[in-house]
């Protein structure tokens, strides 16, 4: 059964939508300067409003490791998603400090990028076209991957079924694909989740 992650939540309305629609994961973006940036304080508030069965993922880019550990240890997030140049030593240290699952994001342009992702020691890979570009990449590059991965990049209610059938991901991850005018759209989130569930 393909899991679902709705990323870039920022408001109480967003939380009310996911509490009704029940994705497996939601994401908070802790990257200053990004449109969907959220402060740790606001994220903690939203986490308290979120159904506890939904897991929270924190999205980071080259953040000081103590910042990531703090959010994992205080329960604001349950998984860390690393989108920067974090090396294997960073991931190993993070794991030693808190023992929580780590998702490492990789931009996929060719088969060498897939090999690099497979060689990185993490719990899950996230395969993407870029950092929040909202565009897909060549899914045919993903073949016979036996490590669980989140598929991201340009996923929408209209193309997510094709993406799942071609790549067989552990989870699908969307943000802009379920927005209208840069805000999460209840109907689009519902359509996305219904599309995934109809394949399971």
């Amino acid at each position: 059964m393909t899991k679902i992650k709705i990323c870039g939540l920022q408001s109480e309305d967003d939380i009310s939508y996911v509490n009704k629609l029940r994705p497996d994961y939601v994401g908070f973006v802790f990257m200053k300067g990004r449109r969907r940036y959220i402060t740790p304080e606001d994220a903690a508030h939203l986490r308290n409003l979120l159904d506890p069965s939904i897991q929270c993922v924190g999205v980071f880019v080259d953040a000081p490791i103590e910042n990531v550990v703090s959010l994992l240890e205080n329960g604001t997030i349950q998984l860390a998603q690393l989108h920067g140049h974090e090396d294997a030593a960073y991931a190993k240290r993070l794991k030693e400090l808190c023992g929580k699952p780590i998702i490492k994001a990789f931009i996929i342009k060719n088969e060498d990028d897939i090999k690099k992702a497979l060689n990185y020691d993490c719990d899950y890979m996230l395969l993407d076209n870029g950092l929040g570009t909202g565009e897909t990449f060549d899914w045919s590059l993903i073949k016979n991957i036996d490590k669980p991965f989140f598929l991201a990049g340009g996923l929408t209610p209209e193309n997510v079924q094709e993406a799942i059938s071609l790549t067989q991901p552990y989870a699908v991850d969307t943000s802009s694909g379920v927005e209208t005018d840069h805000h999460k759209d209840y109907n689009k989130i519902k359509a996305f989740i219904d599309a995934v569930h109809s394949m399971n």
Side-chain angles (χ1 to χ4, degrees):
M1 180 177 285
T2 308
K3 306 289 187 185
I4 299 167
K5 175 167 168 266
I6 306 296
C7 202
L9 272 59
Q10 291 181 289
S11 70
E12 293 186 7
D13 282 344
D14 294 348
I15 297 296
S16 72
Y17 298 163
V18 296
N19 279 343
K20 290 174 188 169
L21 298 171
R22 307 297 291 277
D24 303 281
Y25 302 92
V26 297
F28 294 135
V29 176
F30 297 106
M31 295 149 41
K32 288 183 179 177
R34 296 283 169 178
R35 183 167 51 77
R36 299 182 188 91
Y37 169 72
I38 188 170
T39 65
E41 295 75 20
D42 285 345
H45 170 66
L46 295 183
R47 168 77 252 196
N48 287 334
L49 300 177
L50 184 69
D51 186 302
S53 69
I54 301 172
Q55 296 195 74
C56 278
V57 179
V59 180
F60 303 92
V61 171
D62 301 323
I65 203 163
E66 59 270 19
N67 294 8
V68 184
V69 170
S70 173
L71 288 161
L72 287 163
E73 289 189 337
N74 70 18
T76 300
I77 59 174
Q78 286 69 56
L79 301 91
Q81 180 175 315
L82 309 177
H83 261 274
H85 300 92
E86 302 89 359
D87 60 13
Y90 182 107
K92 182 182 180 187
R93 182 67 179 144
L94 182 57
K95 196 77 173 179
E96 288 171 349
L97 288 169
C98 60
K100 300 292 175 68
I102 295 171
I103 305 168
K104 181 68 176 87
F106 295 90
I107 296 172
I108 304 302
K109 302 293 185 188
N110 52 53
E111 291 186 6
D112 284 343
D113 294 329
I114 298 282
K115 291 174 186 172
K116 186 165 64 174
L118 288 168
N119 287 329
Y120 192 101
D121 187 12
C122 56
D123 298 279
Y124 304 99
M125 305 178 298
L126 183 141
L127 307 181
D128 199 352
N129 179 62
L131 194 57
T133 62
E135 297 175 1
T136 62
F137 62 92
D138 182 0
W139 295 329
S140 70
L141 292 169
I142 304 175
K143 302 185 190 80
N144 305 317
I145 292 180
D146 58 4
K147 186 173 182 177
F149 67 93
F150 286 69
L151 182 67
L155 296 181
T156 67
E158 292 74 34
N159 68 11
V160 69
Q161 291 184 331
E162 179 188 6
I164 291 170
S165 62
L166 286 173
T167 67
Q168 304 298 309
Y170 165 77
V172 287
D173 186 337
T174 188
S175 185
S176 60
V178 289
E179 291 180 351
T180 299
D181 297 329
H182 303 313
H183 294 285
K184 292 292 182 282
D185 183 314
Y186 176 88
N187 291 322
K188 288 183 179 179
I189 297 173
K190 184 177 188 302
F192 187 90
I193 291 175
D194 287 348
V196 177
H197 286 171
S198 72
M199 298 186 72
N200 291 335

